[in-house]
Amino acid sequence: MKSFQCRLQLEMNVLQDKPRRGAVATTRHVAVKALGSGAIVLLSFAASAAPGAASCGSLMQLKIDNTTITSAQYLSTPEGGQYCEVAATVAPQHDIKIRLPETWKGRYVQYGGGGFDGSIPNLSVPSSPMVSTSKDPVNFGFAVIASNGGHRNTEYAAASFSVDRGLTLSYATAKMYDTDLVGRTLVKAYYGRDANFHYFAGCSNGGKNASVVASNFGDYYDGVIGGDGVWGHADDDVKGADMPGLTAKWSRTVQLGIGLSRPKGDALYEKTIEACDALDGVKDGLISNVEACPFKQIARSMQCQSGSGESCLTEGEIANIDAHASELVLDGKVIGAPWSRAGNFGKWGNVVALPSGFLQMAFRRPTAVDPLSFDIPTQFAQVKTVLDDVYNMTGDQAGIVKYLKKGKKLMLFHGWEDMEVPPYTSLNFYKSLRRVEPNATHKNAKLYMVPGMPHCRGGRGADASELLHVMAKWVEEGVEPGSYRNPVIAWERPNNDNTGPQGVETATFSRPLCAYPEYPAYSGRGDPISASSYSCRQGPGRAHDRDGRDDD
């Protein structure tokens, strides 16, 4: 991995030595002379041998060009872990916060944002409990950093920053790089050396951020985790996994009409679970073997007949579901990924606000753009040009392939019941990776499709895990995820609650997370609510046809 100093060499023609990998330094001292024009400048100062309040406070003296250190204070986690928390602002309003643990294991993790950003995420609780929920990373030796995405939502609500090219570019791409520059400077100043291992993790917008990090800034990270995200560019032919394609699919969803009322959506959802629940070997209220479920047949079985009840489906409603669950095609090319039929078609996420915001950025409008006004055949090219080429809103496939070929690690995860970002965005991109670079993808990338989980969290399934810690073991020790020494387990949080210590040890319901195309199957013995009673079994691995057929 290129060191922070090597990055300065490339960008500022400054030569520095590469960082040492090894034990945490017992003393911390920084004495870096002023560099040339445009360089980051550090004030010389000495720090005490061990992290403490005085050395933490001295970070207020650190000088970083175009950046103001606004606070540095010594704090503790509820579990007793101590850390130095530093807040900084890169002009004009890119707010950053980092936690530097007293007991540091040479680890560094950067979290992605959520939605249209505007505020700093909770550094104790990632955007999805799939990343980490029971273990505050600070307690496990991680320096943790995140930002507000380059703007403050008190001044720029939703996507109203779209009129400013600089703020939009920061939201799309630059915020990850600038946050990391500040973070690595603070780490080096506080500990006297760079981190041994660098990670990135996020879900939703943070999953989109993960694609940018792996593609654009992959030299600076060892492991990247992206959940319910957006991947690649439209010209990469990733079948709608990209940002222009997702914007078009969202807009088409709005243009078709939401589809089902909540009561009818609930009725179809329950009917589907009843029919497909046992395909994994046990009835537990979840569809785990999703791709073996004959979804279209189940919907047709509910078609209204003479004397049917209120929950029956009309021909128009069935056709509407088929359209939502089909690929969006333009000029013979798939540009939008289908929605999963495992979700509840009466319970949509932000399928109006999200396309409105990205269309607002694409057309540089001061207010949200109605998806009903988006003429996909004539305007998609403009949206593609701006989101992909101007802003690089998601990382392109070639960059991610380059990242994987260097032996770096990538984890994707997506809830099968996500009705905010179609699950087939992650699935289609992963299949595309396997197609264009099978060897590196097989060795260095994993996709976890999570049964019963909607967008990033919640639902009936096991929606919490420790993927960050699994990733660290994979990167730092070379132990394959899913092996005996590095199991990948998910569990259900009581009442979908993030408060209090939680983990698989205290969970009442747990499942293994299986790398696609495998799914968790009951072994036929043992407690059916325990992950130990399941094994990962090869699934059908089917893909939707362009007309939405599921090969039922």
Side-chain angles (χ1 to χ4, degrees):
M1 174 184 292
K2 292 186 178 70
S3 68
F4 171 65
Q5 290 89 347
C6 287
R7 191 188 320 184
L8 291 182
Q9 175 193 0
L10 292 173
E11 299 209 351
M12 305 167 189
N13 295 319
V14 176
L15 181 63
Q16 297 282 350
D17 292 332
K18 290 186 177 181
R20 294 178 292 109
R21 285 192 178 236
V24 176
T26 55
T27 60
R28 294 182 291 113
H29 180 82
V30 176
V32 181
K33 65 182 179 179
L35 305 178
S37 175
I40 290 179
V41 181
L42 311 183
L43 280 185
S44 299
F45 67 90
S48 61
S55 58
C56 177
S58 67
L59 289 177
M60 292 291 295
Q61 304 170 36
L62 193 66
K63 301 298 181 184
I64 306 173
D65 276 2
N66 207 40
T67 302
T68 302
I69 307 294
T70 56
S71 69
Q73 53 184 329
Y74 206 59
L75 302 171
S76 299
T77 69
E79 296 77 25
Q82 295 180 313
Y83 60 93
C84 173
E85 182 175 274
V86 183
T89 297
V90 179
Q93 49 181 281
H94 182 185
D95 298 328
I96 297 168
K97 188 175 290 184
I98 188 170
R99 292 178 177 175
L100 304 163
E102 180 181 66
T103 304
W104 187 51
K105 296 183 178 179
R107 295 166 166 171
Y108 170 100
V109 61
Q110 181 178 345
Y111 286 155
F116 295 116
D117 282 337
S119 60
I120 299 174
N122 186 333
L123 298 187
S124 299
V125 183
S127 55
S128 171
M130 291 295 296
V131 173
S132 180
T133 185
S134 64
K135 303 173 182 177
D136 187 320
V138 164
N139 295 327
F140 288 79
F142 286 89
V144 187
I145 190 168
S147 81
N148 69 350
H151 64 275
R152 296 171 185 147
N153 55 20
T154 53
E155 185 172 342
Y156 293 97
S160 60
F161 56 85
S162 61
V163 296
D164 187 309
R165 287 281 196 217
L167 293 181
T168 308
L169 183 62
S170 183
Y171 166 78
T173 308
K175 68 170 180 184
M176 279 77 77
Y177 182 76
D178 291 345
T179 300
D180 187 44
L181 275 176
V182 172
R184 288 175 185 250
T185 303
L186 286 163
V187 164
K188 184 68 180 278
Y190 193 60
Y191 298 112
R193 70 180 187 92
D194 293 330
N196 292 345
F197 304 102
H198 296 84
Y199 302 99
F200 187 95
C203 192
S204 191
N205 179 41
K208 175 174 72 65
N209 299 158
S211 75
V212 172
V213 164
S215 177
N216 293 19
F217 314 125
D219 283 348
Y220 312 128
Y221 297 86
D222 301 290
V224 173
I225 303 170
D228 296 18
V230 197
W231 303 86
H233 285 186
D235 288 338
D236 293 336
D237 193 21
V238 289
K239 299 190 182 301
D242 52 281
M243 197 70 246
L246 178 55
T247 302
K249 182 62 178 180
W250 275 329
S251 299
R252 179 54 54 88
T253 299
V254 175
Q255 292 167 7
L256 289 170
I258 293 303
L260 296 178
S261 66
R262 182 63 182 273
K264 288 195 175 188
D266 289 346
L268 175 59
Y269 179 71
E270 296 298 336
K271 182 82 169 178
T272 303
I273 290 176
E274 180 184 349
C276 297
D277 185 350
L279 292 175
D280 61 353
V282 67
K283 299 202 87 173
D284 56 4
L286 292 175
I287 304 175
S288 294
N289 190 1
V290 170
E291 292 183 300
C293 182
F295 290 105
K296 292 186 75 173
Q297 292 181 12
I298 296 166
R300 294 188 192 108
S301 73
M302 295 179 63
Q303 186 168 344
C304 295
Q305 306 293 333
S306 177
S308 296
E310 293 181 357
S311 62
C312 71
L313 303 178
T314 66
E315 282 189 34
E317 288 168 333
I318 293 174
N320 189 283
I321 295 170
D322 288 345
H324 289 314
S326 297
E327 294 168 328
L328 177 59
V329 178
L330 179 63
D331 297 329
K333 180 181 177 180
V334 175
I335 65 166
W339 295 97
S340 168
R341 294 177 185 268
N344 187 329
F345 283 89
K347 190 177 180 181
W348 292 93
N350 295 317
V351 293
V352 175
L354 288 169
S356 297
F358 284 99
L359 290 171
Q360 187 176 349
M361 286 182 248
F363 298 132
R364 204 177 179 187
R365 303 276 179 80
T367 57
V369 176
D370 188 347
L372 293 174
S373 69
F374 177 30
D375 184 60
I376 297 172
T378 63
Q379 295 181 306
F380 180 74
Q382 179 180 348
V383 170
K384 178 173 73 73
T385 296
V386 176
L387 296 185
D388 280 350
D389 302 331
V390 175
Y391 291 130
N392 199 22
M393 194 67 67
T394 47
D396 67 9
Q397 182 171 253
I400 296 173
V401 166
K402 180 181 177 182
Y403 172 85
L404 294 175
K405 290 178 75 172
K406 291 183 177 180
K408 294 164 181 287
K409 308 305 182 186
L410 176 67
M411 282 184 181
L412 287 71
F413 68 89
H414 211 124
W416 264 123
E417 297 185 7
D418 192 344
M419 299 303 290
E420 193 154 312
V421 176
Y424 283 92
T425 58
S426 295
L427 189 54
N428 286 356
F429 183 72
Y430 179 73
K431 287 182 176 181
S432 182
L433 282 180
R434 291 199 308 184
R435 184 173 62 253
V436 301
E437 184 49 53
N439 291 334
T441 300
H442 175 72
K443 292 177 183 178
N444 301 316
K446 302 287 184 185
L447 167 64
Y448 300 103
M449 300 299 294
V450 188
M453 188 177 82
H455 191 64
C456 291
R457 65 181 63 225
R460 296 183 176 186
D463 72 328
S465 189
E466 295 295 350
L467 291 183
L468 177 60
H469 298 271
V470 173
M471 173 65 87
K473 199 171 187 71
W474 193 16
V475 167
E476 297 169 23
E477 301 178 37
V479 182
E480 184 85 5
S483 64
Y484 175 76
R485 291 178 53 214
N486 198 10
V488 190
I489 306 297
W491 60 91
E492 183 182 33
R493 295 169 299 133
N495 301 315
N496 292 323
D497 187 10
N498 272 332
T499 61
Q502 297 185 38
V504 68
E505 298 85 359
T506 58
T508 58
F509 177 90
S510 61
R511 288 285 184 276
L513 278 177
C514 298
Y516 185 84
E518 295 184 330
Y519 70 94
Y522 182 56
S523 64
R525 68 177 77 180
D527 191 339
I529 65 171
S530 174
S532 62
S533 303
Y534 292 77
S535 61
C536 292
R537 187 175 299 172
Q538 192 80 7
R542 297 172 307 173
H544 282 236
D545 292 339
R546 291 187 178 183
D547 62 359
R549 290 179 296 164
D550 289 315
D551 300 331
D552 294 342

